[in-house]
Amino acid sequence: MPSSTAPATDGSVVPVSEEDRAPLLREVLDRIGDKWTVIVICRLDAQPRRFNELRRVTEGITQRMLSATLRRLERDGLVSRTVFPTVPPQVEYALTDSGRSLHTILYQLVDWTDDHLAGIQTSRAAFDAGRSLSGT
């Protein structure tokens, strides 16, 4: 496995030990694979959005879940948060360069899924038919 680095509390970058790397990778992959993370990143691709606008275009998400998702994405450096000095303050969220690169990968995954959807449906039907015949 290649060596990794992580930011220290003072902003410098420190190496990540092999012992610490596996849990960190799992945590980041869990975040990237989260349903709301994927949807929020896709909704922010076209343009920066204010919180309520983002909530409106992200069907089914609660205010609390959106807030938590944005906070985690900001912490991971995938989303930036800009506060404008207005009354009341306006807050805008946008993808960072890292967020945009992740968006590109997510769309490749969507394309792969679209290309293989018919085969997946066929496999599922065959699997389900075999299960019902064998009783397992």
Side-chain angles (χ1 to χ4, degrees), residues 15 24-25 27 50 56 67 69 78 84 93-94 98 100 102:
L24 183 58
L25 279 171
E27 181 185 334
R50 292 174 52 190
R56 276 193 304 276
S67 181
T69 300
L78 300 171
F84 295 96
Y93 296 91
S98 292
R100 278 190 291 282
L102 177 56

Side-chain angles (χ1 to χ4, degrees), residues 32-47:
I32 291 169
D34 176 72
K35 165 186 170 179
W36 294 120
T37 293
V38 171
I39 293 171
V40 167
I41 287 175
C42 290
R43 296 297 183 259
L44 287 173
D45 177 57
Q47 64 190 35

Side-chain angles (χ1 to χ4, degrees), residues 50-61:
R50 292 174 52 190
F51 184 89
N52 285 328
E53 177 188 10
L54 188 55
R55 186 169 173 217
R56 276 193 304 276
V57 299
T58 308
E59 188 176 314
I61 196 167

Side-chain angles (χ1 to χ4, degrees), residues 41-123:
I41 287 175
C42 290
R43 296 297 183 259
L44 287 173
D45 177 57
Q47 64 190 35
R49 296 183 188 264
R50 292 174 52 190
F51 184 89
N52 285 328
E53 177 188 10
L54 188 55
R55 186 169 173 217
R56 276 193 304 276
V57 299
T58 308
E59 188 176 314
I61 196 167
T62 64
Q63 182 171 338
R64 182 177 178 185
M65 181 55 69
L66 179 56
S67 181
T69 300
L70 287 167
R71 195 171 24 257
R72 288 189 302 260
L73 291 172
E74 183 182 6
R75 181 174 183 244
D76 289 344
L78 300 171
V79 167
S80 65
R81 179 178 184 268
T82 305
V83 180
F84 295 96
T86 59
V87 178
Q90 290 184 11
V91 179
E92 188 175 81
Y93 296 91
L95 292 179
T96 62
D97 289 341
S98 292
R100 278 190 291 282
S101 70
L102 177 56
H103 178 267
T104 300
I105 293 166
L106 291 173
Y107 263 81
Q108 289 172 346
L109 182 59
V110 169
D111 287 343
W112 179 92
T113 304
D114 193 42
D115 290 346
H116 293 86
L117 200 54
I120 291 169
Q121 287 178 309
T122 300
S123 294

